Amino acid sequence: MLQESSRVEFKTILNDKLEKEIVAFLNNHEGGVLYIGIDDEGHPVENLYIDSMQLKIADRIKNNILPSTLGLFDIVTEEIENIAVIKIIVSSGLEKPYYIKNKGMSPNGCYMRIGTSTQPMPVALIDELYSKRTHTTLRNILSPRQDLTFAQLKIYYQECGLELNKNFANSLELLTPEGKYNYIAYLLADENGVSIKVAKYAGTDKVDLIENEEYGYCSLLKATNQVLEKMRIENVTKTKVTGAKRIEKNLIEAVPMREALINAVVHNDFSHEIPPVFEIFSNRIEFTSYGGLIQGQSKEDFFSCSSMPRNRELMRVFKDVGLVEQLGSGMSRILHFYDRSIFEISDHFIKVVFPFSLLYKKQDIVNGDENGDENGDENGDENIILHLIKQRPDLTAKEMSRQTGFSTRKISRIIRVLREAEKIIRIGSDRKGYWKISD
């Protein structure tokens, strides 16, 4: 059953405290989720006006809170105990402190989460957050060009059943405070100087470059879709036949690959004019985006599936056209298939490394005996496990099973054989340790 926490709040009905709760989550370093239609015990309450209520909620959040909240919240319906309730997902904002418009930047308008309660923010903290507020957002950076057109952007919106009226530049926040096109507009325009590079190498290093393609100089939406299609083609399906069992598997899992690719684009720090880079090797695919963790964000925050968008205006547009689904859902989809070790985080870059599945050996199709993967070429299977351990020493037996298609029972047997042959040794505990290949 759901419980209230520092990131979760329940309201039975929509009342005048909505803005207060949303402001507190915007100011929270992890964001939060507000449910409307759930009582204090976590039980849903029947509500007949959910659709109209969602529109009222969106209007109040957009118009009654400052700075702008566009791209920082998502409103969906969720069924709990077969009753539909409203779920408002709120990202942590970069322009803290957020406050209720008609109350001003004061303890009467600024709120924060303390445990399961929402409290007024002290004046000292308001002043501290304001002094650290991120002003250098893409919205405030002037576009290098002002002769921009947006035919591609309008087409993407039309395909989703949405129309952009003559005031779209203002509503999508494509203008600077002075009314000029900003860098968000530049990225989404039909023509720009931004190009996303996709490189392909013959081996496991960058020595032998066999492809070097660029997708860009057009709307970032179009470029992103082109890179998605390129990666879909590269992520071929391999088949393994063992006895009566036929297993088909992509080189890497399709869903987390898509989520990581879009994250690399949306969360890239374009203010330094460095686009994300995508690289394909013989044993892995790497996505690298510029900009490390956002100021105030810890690694734990990064992996907690709470959303803290670097470019909320881009996030809003990508969500409008269906490239992003629910705020904060991308990381959970990635971590459903892979563990945190695929991420490399530095001060200036975030890299995601997807190792290719080793379901198959050197050939695309392997015919086994009637016992399937429980027997077969043990020496070859041992080499596969050794290769996995070399790539990722902290890999679990469950993850090895997922990547190879072997049963966990077979993985355990191979590990036992390798240990007895002193080819590998365990460093540390079963839960937190890692494998080391003997010299």
Side-chain angles (χ1 to χ4, degrees), residues 331-348:
M331 183 60 70
S332 62
R333 290 192 181 98
I334 296 170
L335 296 179
H336 179 75
F337 292 93
Y338 297 93
D339 59 37
R340 298 181 179 189
S341 64
I342 68 170
F343 289 89
E344 298 177 11
I345 302 174
S346 69
D347 291 340
H348 301 293

Side-chain angles (χ1 to χ4, degrees), residues 153 156-157 160 162 221 316-324:
L153 179 65
Y156 279 106
Y157 269 79
C160 294
L162 303 171
L221 291 173
R316 184 263 180 97
V317 171
F318 272 58
K319 186 176 182 301
D320 283 349
V321 301
L323 282 171
V324 172

Side-chain angles (χ1 to χ4, degrees), residues 23 26 61 64-69 95 97-101 133:
V23 162
L26 288 165
I61 295 175
N64 298 345
I65 296 174
L66 289 174
S68 174
T69 60
E95 298 177 278
Y98 290 82
Y99 58 94
I100 300 172
K101 190 175 182 179
R133 178 181 283 180

